[in-house]
Amino acid sequence: MAKPAEEKADNLTIEKDVGQGLPPILDDDSFGNGNRSNGGDSDRPINSAVLAMLLFIGAEVMFFAGIIGAFIVLRFGANDWPPPGQPRLPVVVTGINTAILLLSGLTMFKTKRLLKDWHREKILHGLTITALLGALFLAVQGFEWTRLLGFGFTLSSNIYGTVFYTLIGCHALHVLGAVIWLTIVASRLRMNSPAYSANNHVGIKLSGMYWYLVVALWPVLYGLVYFN
Amino acid sequence: MSEAAAVKDTPIEHAHQGFLKTYIFSTDHKMIAKQFLLLGLVMLMLGGGLVMLLRWQLAYPDKPLPLIGISETYMETGETETAMDRYWDEQFSKPEKEQSWIATRMPAGVISPNFYNTLFTMHATIMIFFVVMPILVGCFGNFLIPLMIGTRDMAFPVLNMLSFWVAVVSGVIILIGFFVPGGHAATGWTAYPPLSADPTWTGVDWGQNLWCFSLIFLGISSMMGSINYITTIINMRAPGMTFMRLPLTIWSLFIVAILLLLALPVLTSALAMLLFDRMAGTSFFNASGGGDPLLWQHLFWFFGHPEVYVLILPAMGIGSEILSVFSRKPIFGYHAMVYAMVSIAGLGWIVWGHHMFQSGMNPALGTTFMISTMVIAVPSAIKTFNWLGTLWGGNIQFTVPMLNALAFVSMFVIGGLSGIYMASTPVDIFIHDTYYIVAHIHYVVFGGSLFGIFAAITFWFPKMFGRMLGSKLGKIHFWITFAAFNCTFFPMHILGVGGHMRRIANPLQYEFLQQFEGLNIFITMSAFTLGMAQLIFIFNVFYSMFKGKKAEDNPWKANTVEWTAATPPPHGNFAEIPTIYHGPYEYNAPGIDEDYLPQTSQATIATDGNGKQ
Amino acid sequence: MLDWLPPSISTVGGEIDKFFYVIYYITTVVFFLVAGTMIYFLIRYRYKEGREVKYTHGNTTLEIIWTVVTLVALIVLALVSKPLWSKIKQELPPSSTVVQVTGKQFNWEILYPGPDGMFGTEDDYQIDNLLHVPVNQVVHIKLKALDVIHSFFVPVLRLKQDALPGREIMMWFEANKPGEYEIPCAELCGFGHSGMLGKLIVHSAEDYDAWVKSTWPEN
């Protein structure tokens, strides 16, 4: 990832825009992408905000690795799985819901492709649809949860309920966060916020990256938790 | 961002930002570094204070503490003799609910068993999470990364500020825990469930919950810091500062940031599960509810082992830096040093099981973990040999930072060698959970990390505060600390060999430990000396901060970029972003008049016939 | 330093101690080599105005040598440790004496199956903190925990094993010297952890028979 930077620095002609620009702290980029001030490396291999987002996603993946690891230990340590007398998890409905979330991943993918040429209206449209699909996913999940809770299947009813609500709940919280983020991005875009422009749309890109995370996590969790 | 426009043309002027922005909610990496340092030093005194109480109990089990305890006369005759006697008399006449904080934890000045458990739990928690991490990673990561790679600040200054303040929130939560009913967490810093998962087993309710919350917040703080460090190091190096020209300190901090970023979320997930077990009635770790107590240990040590390297790697980087500077010689095997650290970062993920040999984990796994553990000892050995190589043929100056760095190397050698005993599974059966382990971790974390911290503070003090740290007091502090440290922790190996369990409040309850009473008293006296000696250091730091001799820009004649900045560096660090022409350790290079060669110097090193420098 | 080891009274204790000694000698030699070299360098190359400094960035051959040597030494150490570990923790030599030990806050609950050799029958004999075993015979311990994690530690047997709630861990030992020994708990188990202490009583063959007779008189 950093390899090209290294080569670049090696071949650098020394006098090139050294010390120009202003301290990154005072740069007007809200994502702290102050690298331009630091020797004219606007052409560095990766945007700082994007890199930071990748790192954050790495941390999130490790968090999920922790709870998925816990699930695996408990699931395969149990004699009966699921324990007898438990309600069946809604495999089909959730399957359809999975399709909805995957579709939102696709719409996000298409939206991000529009960023380069800055079709503002189309981007706004794409973000809105993605957020709505996410919200639909959450609504279906919530509906299924209330049904399960109606059967007396709760977080603390037994280990099956515990891992189900923890894993699926954690993911749902992340989807909720991502939907809120997308909504904020979309409404700022709608209001023509100066934060986003043809030259600077890293904020939209970041929300898209995060959206990919929550979409990509879901099939793994669905496969693990819903199929015994 | 109108402010940005205003100062666009005067990058240095903006140092005047008012008190709040300069000292409290500063986004300047150097101020944040100092804030972390202050946090760490305050917590160091607290963590050290706790262990003084603990050592008293081990040397004189169930005897009243001096000064605050009841007098012998009172014990024997029931007559009040001292002011404290009257105090205790008054306390005992009250119902338990109304007794003072101290009376519920140390009735009559005798440390209660539960409070003893709290003492070692909080000693470890505070020292690891609120002393070593804030100082080595928080303070020196913040201070050194932008200065050493030649940039003006971190990639995300606001995130940086948040990282500090979240750490403060975490620190405040952990302090509140001391004052909640039921007392603070008392299950060891490892908090093994089911003991930690159900308040009925310890009687501790909110203390343990706050402990969990505090560490979750600390995890968030560390994550923000790590993201910042990694991004800054990858993206903001000055022109010419290639990865293989980075000072080893920066390499170590880079690797530490990666470890923290990936390890702490696993702890966070485990803490969340523990909180669910405690507060929502789940049973992740409760066997009767279908859970598994070993699950916690797996998750905890999966985080915990990388964490151990988080504590020692920065000290390794700092040690390398200082050894090279004061040997006036390039570091021996720079590349080997880097690869050693990288391999530690990789191997650190597959050795966690060596904490669990006796835990009931499948013994077949024990062998696997034993082999991976033996392998991870190799990079540390490589580093040690390279440090020796650095000293060989040098011109060694015994400054205060150098003394501390040398102590770091030699103590780390002992800590590393004692680790081999535990890695060997059959021997571990006996020494697991004994004082042998306590000796080992203290040789690594005190002998390694803390001497690293002393070395770092004394080395970079002039750059941080613009004044020299008093070297006479520095030497006094060093020699007392070095002697008292060894007197405190070396005998713990003997206790361990004798089978002395860790975390017991009263060794005299056991027949086979009677013989160690004298040794325990000796350790306690040494520990008191060690604790007192740190007051010298604290005094020296604060005295020199205001009254020390003014420092030059480069008092040690070192090569790395931070020494080319003004002392102390202004907001924005450099008048001009430097350009880098050399590696960080070109001391006494051929063809150079001075015995050092700043990384920013354009002079060229004479090469020999082989084209090698 | 190893004089401080408690006496060993088990068949495997001596073997563990042997490893202890081997590692002790190796690490001591390594330590004195490293520390000696360091002190020699510090004295030999102490600061002198105008001293000629060896300008070198390292030596690849040297790096390879010390990497390979340490790696091989440590791997060999791991491999030779393995058989003993397996013998103690993975194998279970046959035995006619099985005792169930349950850790609970803050006692060891000892349960004998009685003459019928089965747990859960009427002739079970339960007692806190007293573990009677015959000398020179393999004894099986079925280790359990009632509430939190405890650790069954018998220093003289060089034996330690955590007791986990929800699991049964089988382990074995063979004591070869009669006497009374302590069984502390080695894993923090609460405020009474310090002082959680059982007693291992190793009987000679005759004494053990006498104890069995007095405990189950009707047989």
Side-chain angles (χ1 to χ4, degrees):
Chain A
M1 181 155 49
K3 223 19 198 282
E6 225 172 281
E7 285 162 14
K8 202 156 284 160
D10 274 335
N11 310 332
L12 203 73
T13 42
I14 307 303
E15 272 71 36
K16 182 184 157 199
D17 49 27
V18 169
Q20 287 165 2
L22 56 155
I25 351 164
L26 303 168
D27 207 310
D28 51 4
D29 184 337
S30 54
F31 287 94
N33 185 14
N35 26 15
R36 276 161 297 164
S37 64
N38 202 21
D41 312 19
S42 53
D43 52 351
R44 68 171 32 118
I46 183 163
N47 176 295
S48 286
V50 172
L51 175 58
M53 194 64 212
L54 282 173
L55 295 171
F56 177 64
I57 287 174
E60 286 275 28
V61 167
M62 289 307 285
F63 176 81
F64 274 94
I67 53 176
I68 290 173
F71 171 81
I72 290 170
V73 167
L74 297 172
R75 154 91 177 77
F76 292 99
N79 298 325
D80 292 318
W81 197 268
Q86 293 305 314
R88 262 166 37 88
L89 297 176
V91 176
V92 179
V93 177
T94 313
I96 297 168
N97 215 10
T98 307
I100 294 175
L101 196 63
L102 290 176
L103 185 65
S104 80
L106 188 68
T107 56
M108 179 49 93
F109 176 71
K110 292 204 151 171
T111 312
K112 279 182 73 178
R113 291 230 313 218
L114 297 169
L115 284 175
K116 225 178 197 160
D117 299 328
W118 197 245
H119 299 291
R120 199 181 140 268
E121 290 302 317
K122 284 186 185 167
I123 294 167
L124 182 58
H125 191 68
L127 290 177
T128 315
I129 289 187
T130 310
L132 283 176
L133 284 170
L136 179 60
F137 171 84
L138 279 179
V140 177
Q141 288 286 86
F143 178 71
E144 290 301 327
W145 278 34
T146 47
R147 275 173 35 122
L148 287 170
L149 289 169
F151 289 124
F153 183 66
T154 64
L155 177 70
S156 55
S157 55
N158 58 26
I159 195 70
Y160 190 53
T162 300
V163 293
F164 172 78
Y165 285 106
T166 308
L167 250 76
I168 307 303
C170 257
H171 179 262
L173 273 180
H174 279 75
V175 177
L176 181 66
V179 168
I180 293 174
W181 189 357
L182 275 191
T183 314
I184 293 172
V185 168
S187 50
R188 285 180 80 184
L189 190 63
R190 221 173 91 90
M191 291 185 294
N192 264 321
S193 158
Y196 312 123
S197 64
N199 301 322
N200 184 6
H201 42 251
V202 69
I204 303 176
K205 200 169 163 188
L206 298 188
S207 65
M209 289 166 73
Y210 196 68
W211 193 260
Y212 288 160
L213 170 73
V214 298
V215 172
L217 276 171
W218 177 250
V220 180
L221 299 178
Y222 177 59
L224 272 174
V225 175
Y226 283 81
F227 295 93
N228 297 301
Chain B
M1 286 272 164
S2 58
E3 185 197 23
V7 292
K8 205 161 203 152
D9 304 311
T10 53
I12 306 299
E13 279 301 298
H14 59 262
H16 312 289
Q17 286 181 316
F19 180 80
L20 264 188
K21 272 217 122 180
T22 314
Y23 295 105
I24 311 292
F25 298 108
S26 170
T27 54
D28 180 4
H29 71 103
K30 298 177 293 296
M31 184 50 69
I32 295 171
K34 288 175 197 172
Q35 291 171 327
F36 268 117
L37 181 63
L38 189 68
L39 172 72
L41 289 179
V42 169
M43 287 297 203
L44 177 68
M45 287 193 273
L46 176 62
L50 293 178
V51 88
M52 296 300 132
L53 292 174
L54 181 143
R55 277 311 321 179
W56 172 266
Q57 164 70 15
L58 280 170
Y60 307 103
D62 301 341
K63 297 258 171 25
L65 287 156
L67 300 178
I68 67 161
I70 53 170
S71 67
E72 256 175 58
T73 337
Y74 183 84
M75 267 198 290
E76 280 159 19
T77 64
E79 277 172 46
T80 54
E81 189 186 55
T82 62
M84 280 318 287
D85 285 350
R86 285 187 288 281
Y87 172 79
W88 288 117
D89 215 29
E90 185 203 322
Q91 288 295 327
F92 294 145
S93 61
K94 291 186 199 168
E96 207 174 321
K97 281 238 155 116
E98 290 167 29
Q99 285 179 4
S100 67
W101 184 89
I102 195 167
T104 48
R105 283 153 182 87
M106 295 175 270
V110 177
I111 291 162
S112 73
N114 218 19
F115 188 57
Y116 178 85
N117 291 353
T118 295
L119 285 176
F120 65 70
T121 303
M122 296 323 297
H123 167 68
T125 306
I126 286 176
M127 288 302 194
I128 290 168
F129 294 104
F130 295 97
V131 176
V132 177
M133 276 168 69
I135 297 186
L136 275 185
V137 186
C139 165
F140 286 102
N142 260 310
F143 187 74
L144 294 176
I145 289 174
L147 276 168
M148 283 186 131
I149 66 173
T151 185
R152 297 197 185 280
D153 205 315
M154 286 287 180
F156 308 103
V158 177
L159 191 68
N160 207 11
M161 176 191 78
L162 280 176
S163 160
F164 173 73
W165 283 105
V166 174
V168 169
V169 169
S170 157
V172 168
I173 295 176
I174 208 91
L175 292 181
I176 292 174
F178 281 104
F179 302 97
V180 294
H184 213 325
T187 54
W189 81 281
T190 51
Y192 281 5
L195 187 65
S196 60
D198 189 338
T200 47
W201 305 132
T202 51
V204 175
D205 193 358
W206 267 96
Q208 190 78 46
N209 296 350
L210 290 174
W211 183 87
C212 294
F213 283 120
S214 169
L215 292 191
I216 289 176
F217 274 100
L218 198 77
I220 295 170
S221 158
S222 283
M223 186 182 70
M224 295 197 266
S226 312
I227 289 176
N228 220 341
Y229 291 4
I230 299 172
T231 311
T232 308
I233 293 173
I234 288 180
N235 262 359
M236 310 214 8
R237 282 163 291 130
M241 181 62 90
T242 61
F243 264 91
M244 283 304 163
R245 282 179 184 168
L246 282 180
L248 288 172
T249 310
I250 300 302
W251 261 110
S252 69
L253 288 164
F254 182 56
I255 287 166
V256 161
I258 296 173
L259 289 178
L260 276 175
L261 180 79
L262 300 179
L264 271 167
V266 180
L267 177 69
T268 307
S269 72
L271 288 167
M273 291 179 222
L274 190 58
L275 278 172
F276 272 13
D277 270 14
R278 291 182 66 81
M279 304 177 77
T282 61
S283 40
F284 279 105
F285 308 119
N286 178 1
S288 58
D292 184 356
L294 275 191
L295 170 62
W296 167 269
Q297 297 185 25
H298 280 296
L299 291 171
F300 184 86
W301 289 116
F302 185 77
F303 143 81
H305 205 80
E307 168 71 17
V308 172
Y309 285 102
V310 166
L311 302 179
I312 193 69
L313 275 172
M316 287 175 162
I318 287 162
S320 310
E321 199 76 37
I322 292 172
L323 285 184
S324 175
V325 171
F326 294 111
S327 302
R328 311 308 295 167
K329 198 173 161 275
I331 194 86
F332 198 85
Y334 175 91
H335 286 84
M337 290 295 220
V338 172
Y339 299 143
M341 287 196 279
V342 172
S343 53
I344 284 174
L347 290 166
W349 300 101
I350 53 166
V351 297
W352 80 90
H354 67 216
H355 298 270
M356 299 171 60
F357 286 151
Q358 322 308 332
S359 69
M361 173 182 76
N362 181 352
L365 287 174
T367 306
T368 323
F369 280 120
M370 167 167 62
I371 293 172
S372 61
T373 303
M374 291 290 187
V375 174
I376 204 176
V378 175
S380 296
I382 295 174
K383 295 190 79 77
T384 306
F385 293 136
N386 279 307
W387 287 324
L388 288 182
T390 307
L391 294 173
W392 167 69
N395 194 7
I396 301 166
Q397 299 170 327
F398 293 101
T399 57
V400 179
M402 183 62 165
L403 289 173
N404 282 293
L406 290 168
F408 155 76
V409 172
S410 47
M411 296 303 98
F412 177 73
V413 169
I414 298 181
L417 289 172
S418 67
I420 295 174
Y421 294 73
M422 291 144 218
S424 171
T425 43
V427 178
D428 183 69
I429 297 175
F430 181 65
I431 57 175
H432 180 77
D433 269 331
T434 66
Y435 262 79
Y436 209 88
I437 312 291
V438 179
H440 168 72
I441 59 154
H442 283 93
Y443 265 91
V444 176
V445 176
F446 193 134
S449 312
L450 210 54
F451 275 112
I453 286 174
F454 293 144
I457 293 178
T458 49
F459 186 65
W460 279 290
F461 192 87
K463 192 50 76 182
M464 284 183 113
F465 298 102
R467 291 175 187 272
M468 300 300 287
L469 191 67
S471 80
K472 196 172 238 166
L473 274 184
K475 280 185 182 164
I476 293 172
H477 162 256
F478 168 76
W479 284 111
I480 299 178
T481 304
F482 186 73
F485 166 79
N486 280 295
C487 289
T488 306
F489 295 109
F490 198 82
M492 289 188 185
H493 291 111
I494 296 172
L495 295 183
V497 169
H500 194 311
M501 293 78 67
R502 64 195 291 202
R503 294 172 172 175
I504 52 169
N506 184 354
L508 298 183
Q509 287 167 312
Y510 303 86
E511 211 156 297
F512 74 109
L513 298 179
Q514 297 293 332
Q515 50 172 334
F516 293 121
E517 190 182 3
L519 199 54
N520 262 325
I521 293 175
F522 174 74
I523 292 174
T524 295
M525 291 307 159
S526 311
F528 287 166
T529 316
L530 187 57
M532 294 305 226
Q534 304 323 304
L535 298 179
I536 304 177
F537 184 76
I538 304 271
F539 169 78
N540 197 11
V541 163
F542 286 101
Y543 180 81
S544 305
M545 216 181 267
F546 303 104
K547 293 277 164 81
K549 201 175 82 194
K550 281 246 187 272
E552 314 155 37
D553 282 354
N554 189 359
W556 313 116
K557 305 214 179 313
N559 289 346
T560 41
V561 185
E562 77 273 26
W563 302 106
T564 62
T567 294
H571 208 151
N573 295 345
F574 301 98
E576 266 192 6
I577 290 294
T579 303
I580 310 303
Y581 298 89
H582 303 286
Y585 304 114
E586 300 299 338
Y587 293 97
N588 275 301
I592 305 294
D593 295 336
E594 297 266 15
D595 72 344
Y596 68 111
L597 175 63
Q599 287 190 274
T600 51
S601 160
Q602 298 202 32
T604 46
I605 301 169
T607 52
D608 62 21
N610 304 323
K612 274 175 129 184
Q613 284 188 350
Chain C
M1 188 169 82
L2 297 188
D3 296 343
W4 293 94
L5 274 170
S8 158
I9 61 137
S10 81
T11 48
V12 294
E15 292 179 65
I16 291 182
D17 290 357
K18 205 169 72 193
F19 269 100
F20 216 138
Y21 275 96
V22 169
I23 300 175
Y24 177 63
Y25 292 134
I26 296 175
T27 50
T28 308
V29 168
V30 171
F31 173 73
F32 280 108
L33 279 179
V34 170
T37 315
M38 188 167 148
I39 290 168
Y40 170 74
F41 284 169
L42 292 182
I43 296 170
R44 168 77 179 73
Y45 301 111
R46 67 188 180 280
Y47 185 75
K48 224 160 62 189
E49 192 68 48
R51 182 195 290 282
E52 189 77 11
V53 167
K54 290 190 176 68
Y55 177 77
T56 167
H57 288 91
N59 182 319
T60 313
T61 325
L62 219 51
E63 300 283 352
I64 293 171
I65 291 172
W66 62 45
T67 306
V68 173
V69 169
T70 18
L71 186 65
V72 170
L74 288 168
I75 297 263
V76 167
L77 191 60
L79 293 180
V80 297
S81 297
K82 196 216 167 260
L84 182 57
W85 168 255
S86 305
K87 182 176 162 188
I88 298 169
K89 293 269 178 169
Q90 282 169 288
E91 290 160 21
L92 203 60
S95 162
S96 54
T97 319
V98 186
V99 189
Q100 177 177 302
V101 176
T102 309
K104 60 182 185 187
Q105 283 184 335
F106 299 99
N107 284 298
W108 296 110
E109 186 182 287
I110 316 283
L111 185 71
Y112 291 88
D116 65 355
M118 308 241 293
F119 289 107
T121 51
E122 256 179 36
D123 62 350
D124 285 6
Y125 171 71
Q126 186 188 319
I127 186 171
D128 271 357
N129 294 330
L130 285 180
L131 177 58
H132 297 268
V133 298
V135 73
N136 292 331
Q137 272 190 42
V138 174
V139 176
H140 284 185
I141 302 280
K142 201 164 146 194
L143 190 62
K144 293 164 81 167
L146 194 65
D147 34 37
V148 300
I149 298 175
H150 301 271
S151 190
F152 183 84
F153 179 32
V154 188
V156 287
L157 295 176
R158 307 286 186 272
L159 183 64
K160 186 179 287 136
Q161 175 62 54
D162 284 8
L164 287 171
R167 282 194 205 197
E168 279 181 15
I169 297 167
M170 288 302 287
M171 54 179 188
W172 68 275
F173 63 84
E174 184 181 339
N176 54 20
K177 194 166 164 237
E180 294 190 1
Y181 311 98
E182 287 173 301
I183 315 175
C185 172
E187 182 68 64
L188 178 65
C189 58
F191 56 86
H193 167 56
S194 184
M196 175 169 170
L197 185 60
K199 191 175 267 179
L200 171 72
I201 302 165
V202 181
H203 293 285
S204 63
E206 307 86 67
D207 283 358
Y208 187 71
D209 286 340
W211 177 77
V212 169
K213 282 218 173 69
S214 68
T215 313
W216 291 276
E218 62 271 26
N219 286 285

